[in-house]
Amino acid sequence: MVEPGPPGSSGGDSHDGKTRGIKGYFRKRHVYVMGSTMLLFSTVYVWYTSNGTESKVAYITRLMYTKPQILKPSRSDVLTMTPWFAPIVWEGTYNSEILNEQFQRRNVTVGLTMFAIKKYVVFLKKFLETAEMYFMVGHRVNYYIFTDRPEEVPKVALKEGRNVVVLQVQNYPRWQEISMRRMELISNFSQQRFINEVSYLVCVDVDMRFNDQVGVEILSNLFGTLHPGFYAAERQSFTYERRPASQAYVPSDEGDFYYAGGFFGGTVMEVYMLTKKCHEAMMVDKANGIEAIWHDESHLNKYFVYYKPTKILSPEYLWDDNMGRPEILKKRRFLALPKNHAAIRNK
Ligand code: UD2
C-alpha cells in the first residue's frame, strides 16, 4: 500500500527515513485495529532540518473499512428512514467503529438520566452494572440519578471517564405523578446544570437492564424510541390521548409512530425544550382536572407529532421479552425487567 507523503512531498514509501536536500522527514506509522471491520492508521511525519533539529510534525489519519454499497441496502425488511429523513436505527444499518471514531474526536460526554424514587432504588444496581458493560462504551458518561433516597444508591465500580451524580429530589404519593414530574426535573436541571456538563442527554426508565451495546449511534439532536408494543400497529391503534380536553390530544388521522416514554433524548437544548413543553402541558391538564391516559408518555407522543425527532431508535433499544422475539429483532439491547406493580408502585 502506498501512502501519500506529507504536504509538499512527492509521496510514496520510497522516501521513508531519507533526507531530501536540506530537509527530510521520517514517518512513524501507528496502526490501531478497531473491531473486525475497520483499521485506523495514524501516520506521523517528522521533518528534519539540515542540522538535524526537528522542524515540523504532520498527522495524517486514514480510516479503512468496507465501502457502503448504494445498490445493496443494509436492511430491506424494515423501514430505515422516515419521510422527514430521520434515520431509524436497526442492527446492520450502521458501522459503530466509524461512529465511535467521529464522536471520540469531539470528546463528547453523554448524560444518562434515571429516576429511582421510593422503592425503585432496588433497580439501580443491575441498571448501573449493565450500563457499565454496554452503554456508550469508550465514551465519557455522567449517570444522573434522581432519587429521594440518596443513602440507598449502590456503589458500582465505574470505568475511567464515567461518573455517578446523585441528585436528591422530593417524592410524590402517586406513581403516575412521579413518572410525570420527570419532565419538570429534567427541564430544570438541563437549564441549571446539564447544559454545562454534557453534550447529549439520554432519558430512560430505571426498571430496565442493558443486554447489548447502546452506543453513539443513538445520538442526534432529538431522538425517540419505537414502543415495542406498537411498532407494527396502524395509527388508529396507537394509545395516544384521544380526549380533546387534554393538551396531549392527538386526532385519529395524525401521528407517525407510537413512542415509548422510557427512552428519549438529544442535545441538552432539545431535551430542555421537549421536557419544558411537556411539563407545561401537564400543568395545564392538572389545572383543568384531566390527566393524560399514559401520563408523560402521552405528552411525549404529542410533542413528537409536531416536533419530529431527527433520529428514531428501533425497538431493539427498548424491548420487553413478553413481546416474544420477532425475526426483525437482531438485538435486544435494553430490556424491561419484570416487576410486581403492587409491591413496587406507591411504596
Ligand atoms: C411506561 C413508560 C414510562 C412512563 C410511564 C407512564 C416505558 C418503558 N415506560 O412505564 O416511561 O411513560 O409508562 O405511564 O416506555 N418511578 C420511580 N418511582 C416510582 C414510580 C416510577 O422512580 O414509584 C420512575 C422510574 O424511573 C420508572 C419510571 O418512573 O422507571 C416510570 O414508571 P414505571 O416504570 O412504573 O411506568 P410504566 O412501566 O408504566
Side-chain angles (χ1 to χ4, degrees), residues 14-75:
S14 60
H15 300 300
D16 254 356
K18 294 180 187 160
T19 57
R20 296 189 307 165
I22 59 163
K23 286 187 180 177
Y25 67 87
F26 287 102
R27 182 167 60 188
K28 298 174 187 168
R29 193 172 73 175
H30 303 276
V31 180
Y32 306 98
V33 180
M34 302 181 71
S36 54
T37 51
M38 186 172 81
L39 289 179
L40 171 65
F41 289 88
S42 173
T43 307
V44 183
Y45 293 97
V46 184
W47 277 260
Y48 287 90
T49 58
S50 51
N51 65 9
T53 55
E54 195 175 295
S55 68
K56 200 172 183 184
V57 178
Y59 295 90
I60 295 176
T61 299
R62 306 183 65 215
L63 294 173
M64 302 178 73
Y65 49 81
T66 313
K67 170 192 168 300
Q69 300 290 336
I70 286 289
L71 301 181
K72 284 192 192 147
S74 49
R75 290 285 294 256

Side-chain angles (χ1 to χ4, degrees), residues 85-103:
F85 285 137
I88 307 178
V89 187
W90 298 90
E91 174 65 6
T93 58
Y94 63 90
N95 180 329
S96 54
E97 280 121 6
I98 302 175
L99 288 165
N100 278 330
E101 219 279 318
Q102 300 292 300
F103 278 84

Side-chain angles (χ1 to χ4, degrees), residues 38-181:
M38 186 172 81
L39 289 179
L40 171 65
F41 289 88
S42 173
T43 307
V44 183
Y45 293 97
V46 184
W47 277 260
Y48 287 90
T49 58
S50 51
N51 65 9
T53 55
E54 195 175 295
S55 68
K56 200 172 183 184
V57 178
Y59 295 90
I60 295 176
T61 299
R62 306 183 65 215
L63 294 173
M64 302 178 73
Y65 49 81
T66 313
K67 170 192 168 300
Q69 300 290 336
I70 286 289
L71 301 181
K72 284 192 192 147
S74 49
R75 290 285 294 256
S76 53
D77 54 342
V78 286
L79 189 69
T80 58
M81 185 69 83
T82 68
W84 61 93
F85 285 137
I88 307 178
V89 187
W90 298 90
E91 174 65 6
T93 58
Y94 63 90
N95 180 329
S96 54
E97 280 121 6
I98 302 175
L99 288 165
N100 278 330
E101 219 279 318
Q102 300 292 300
F103 278 84
Q104 251 144 16
R105 243 175 240 209
R106 290 164 52 198
N107 201 20
V108 157
T109 304
V110 179
L112 182 63
T113 70
M114 76 217 70
F115 287 72
I117 310 286
K118 299 199 278 193
K119 270 220 166 161
Y120 279 62
V121 286
V122 300
F123 294 113
L124 279 173
K125 189 164 187 295
K126 167 90 54 190
F127 182 102
L128 292 169
E129 282 172 357
T130 56
E132 278 299 289
M133 290 163 68
Y134 297 118
F135 183 73
M136 299 287 161
V137 173
H139 298 275
R140 304 168 62 82
V141 171
N142 284 359
Y143 296 105
Y144 294 116
I145 304 177
F146 291 85
T147 184
D148 58 334
R149 301 180 180 182
E151 65 289 350
E152 291 181 38
V153 173
K155 294 269 175 294
V156 170
L158 302 176
K159 297 200 185 74
E160 201 190 329
R162 304 169 76 99
N163 305 295
V164 162
V165 179
V166 178
L167 303 167
Q168 185 164 10
V169 291
Q170 72 171 96
N171 63 36
Y172 290 91
R174 296 172 59 242
W175 73 266
Q176 297 90 334
E177 179 125 37
I178 292 173
S179 185
M180 290 192 292
R181 288 282 173 176

Side-chain angles (χ1 to χ4, degrees), residues 204-224:
V204 294
D205 276 8
V206 77
D207 49 332
M208 306 285 302
R209 73 179 165 93
F210 290 88
N211 183 59
D212 212 322
Q213 298 297 331
V214 173
V216 293
E217 74 279 0
I218 71 171
L219 300 178
S220 188
N221 278 356
L222 181 65
F223 60 87

